[in-house]
């Protein structure tokens, strides 16, 4: 722990919980299992930040188990126009929105600067819509000097999570922990270079889609997100 005491970055290998099925009942189940692997952060001034929409039920269970406040990161994946599920980047809201570009995908898909900017502007409009909709449903939390646990329901390419981690870093946080139920092993290894710790219950070598690891994996609505925050409201710090 000396590295932490000196303020240096400590890399921790991703944690795979032995003896558990690689499948999760739903996002809440995945969140509870992640929370069990994060209990050492209870009482350590942590904030749980969920990535919408799928990461919010996961973050809810972690925040409840750690008795920590929960917030939401306004982030949007920037998809390739012809294949919107393929991330060519991501944009994170802030005083100066942080834009991450996935250079490999941009080159492979032959995306021009104009096309990328147009896609980015579209996602910023969606972020603005969500900010207006969710205004007032969760507390305004100062994350400076605190441990931030970034939670999502899974990671495919890592572009969105990497953008969030880079954006969060500029606010002077003490430590960034990425917590996800499942992600490709190579993506986990890449993210470990960006943050202090990655907790991933299933870091698979063979990986098709996040939804394959869940029995129940519906698309979530804005109302689902609002419901999670309302349930946790009494625990806001």
């Amino acid at each position: 722990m000396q590295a932490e005491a000196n303020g240096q970055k400590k890399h921790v290998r991703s944690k795979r919980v032995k003896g558990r099925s690689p499948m999760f009942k739903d996002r809440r189940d995945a969140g509870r299992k992640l929370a069990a692997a994060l209990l050492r952060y209870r009482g350590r001034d942590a904030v749980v930040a969920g990535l919408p929409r799928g990461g919010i039920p996961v973050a809810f269970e972690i925040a409840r188990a750690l008795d920590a406040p929960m917030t939401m990161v306004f982030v949007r994946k920037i998809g390739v126009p012809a294949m919107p599920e393929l991330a060519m980047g991501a944009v994170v809201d802030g005083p100066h929105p942080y834009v991450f570009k996935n250079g490999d995908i941009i080159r492979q898909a032959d995306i021009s600067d104009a096309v990328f900017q147009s896609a980015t502007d579209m996602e910023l409009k969606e972020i603005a819509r969500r900010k207006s909709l969710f205004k007032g449903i969760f507390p305004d939390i100062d994350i400076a000097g605190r441990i931030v646990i970034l939670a999502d329901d899974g990671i495919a390419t890592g572009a969105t999570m990497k953008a969030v981690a880079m954006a969060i870093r500029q606010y002077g946080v003490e430590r960034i922990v990425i917590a996800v139920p499942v992600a490709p092993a190579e993506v986990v290894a890449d993210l470990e270079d960006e943050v202090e710790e990655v907790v991933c219950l299933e870091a698979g070598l063979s990986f098709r889609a996040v939804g394959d690891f869940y029995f129940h994996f519906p698309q979530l609505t804005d109302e689902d997100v609002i419901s999670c925050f309302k349930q946790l409201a009494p625990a806001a710090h």
Side-chain angles (χ1 to χ4, degrees), residues 10 14 20 22 25 73 84 98 110 124 128 131 179 196 202:
K10 180 183 178 184
S14 60
R20 284 192 176 138
K25 293 178 183 178
V73 180
Y98 183 89
D110 193 24
L124 282 169
K131 284 181 68 176
E196 284 72 21
E202 294 290 344

Side-chain angles (χ1 to χ4, degrees), residues 108-186:
Q108 292 170 16
D110 193 24
I111 302 296
S112 68
D113 290 344
V115 169
F116 185 88
Q117 187 60 53
S118 176
T120 301
D121 291 343
M122 182 175 66
E123 300 306 338
L124 282 169
K125 289 180 180 178
E126 174 58 16
I127 286 175
R129 184 195 71 82
R130 289 187 178 186
K131 284 181 68 176
S132 176
L133 178 66
F134 298 142
K135 184 178 180 180
I137 71 163
F138 53 89
D140 184 17
I141 300 173
D142 184 3
I143 60 175
R146 303 180 75 168
I147 297 168
V148 178
I149 299 174
L150 299 175
D152 204 354
D153 56 12
I155 296 175
T157 67
T160 301
M161 186 62 81
K162 182 179 286 190
V164 171
M166 290 177 174
I168 291 294
R169 181 74 68 191
Q170 67 185 334
Y171 293 104
V173 300
E174 176 191 331
R175 182 179 180 86
I176 298 176
V177 179
I178 291 174
V180 292
V182 59
E186 66 273 16

